[in-house]
Amino acid sequence: QVQLVESGGGLVQAGGSLRLSCAASGRTFRSSAMGWFRQAPGKEREFVAAISWSGGNMHYKDSVGGRFTISRDNTKEMVYLQMNSLKPEDTAVYYCAASRASDYRGSGYPEDFTSWGQGTQVTVSS
């Protein structure tokens, strides 16, 4: 199991930037793919981005590609989501998650993500 704590959310104007951080602890972190998900009010939780255990492979939701960048620092046990050119539709609670797999296997394997943080609110005003 991996324990996760997100931070870095807040209120930002459209076009602005935020950097989310996820502090991880647990012996399996360095072998786990990591992901960011989000849930807007009244909507289902959705995949945003994922990164393989080594950081060599990144995956993004189509609508955030080119604006968001996921990264990780295994020495510090941290995962980051740099969000640029934010839009009001990016408003949501953002969750960090740890996978039992070493790389993201796609939307067909939601059960891969077994550890979740408590979430951090991101609000983008127009």
Side-chain angles (χ1 to χ4, degrees):
Q1 279 285 10
V2 178
Q3 289 74 48
L4 305 168
V5 178
E6 303 97 334
S7 61
L11 174 63
V12 65
Q13 289 188 333
S17 298
L18 282 174
R19 188 195 196 202
L20 304 184
S21 298
C22 174
S25 61
R27 62 185 181 88
T28 62
F29 170 77
R30 297 187 183 192
S31 62
S32 300
M34 297 295 295
W36 286 96
F37 293 76
R38 67 187 182 188
Q39 187 167 20
K43 295 187 177 181
E44 293 186 353
R45 186 169 61 193
E46 64 178 5
F47 168 78
V48 175
I51 188 167
S52 62
W53 71 276
S54 66
N57 293 329
M58 285 79 78
H59 312 268
Y60 296 96
K61 175 181 173 62
D62 286 347
S63 64
V64 308
R67 299 188 298 123
F68 291 9
T69 302
I70 188 171
S71 61
R72 68 188 295 164
D73 185 337
N74 284 348
T75 63
K76 296 181 179 179
E77 296 191 329
M78 295 290 295
V79 181
Y80 306 99
L81 185 68
Q82 177 67 43
M83 305 185 295
N84 299 328
S85 301
L86 282 161
K87 304 176 180 180
E89 52 262 43
D90 294 318
T91 295
V93 177
Y94 283 70
Y95 297 91
C96 177
S99 174
R100 60 184 180 183
S102 60
D103 198 359
Y104 179 59
R105 298 199 290 166
S107 59
Y109 300 90
E111 69 275 11
D112 275 356
F113 290 92
T114 56
S115 298
W116 295 83
Q118 83 288 351
T120 186
Q121 177 70 48
V122 171
T123 303
V124 184
S125 63
S126 58

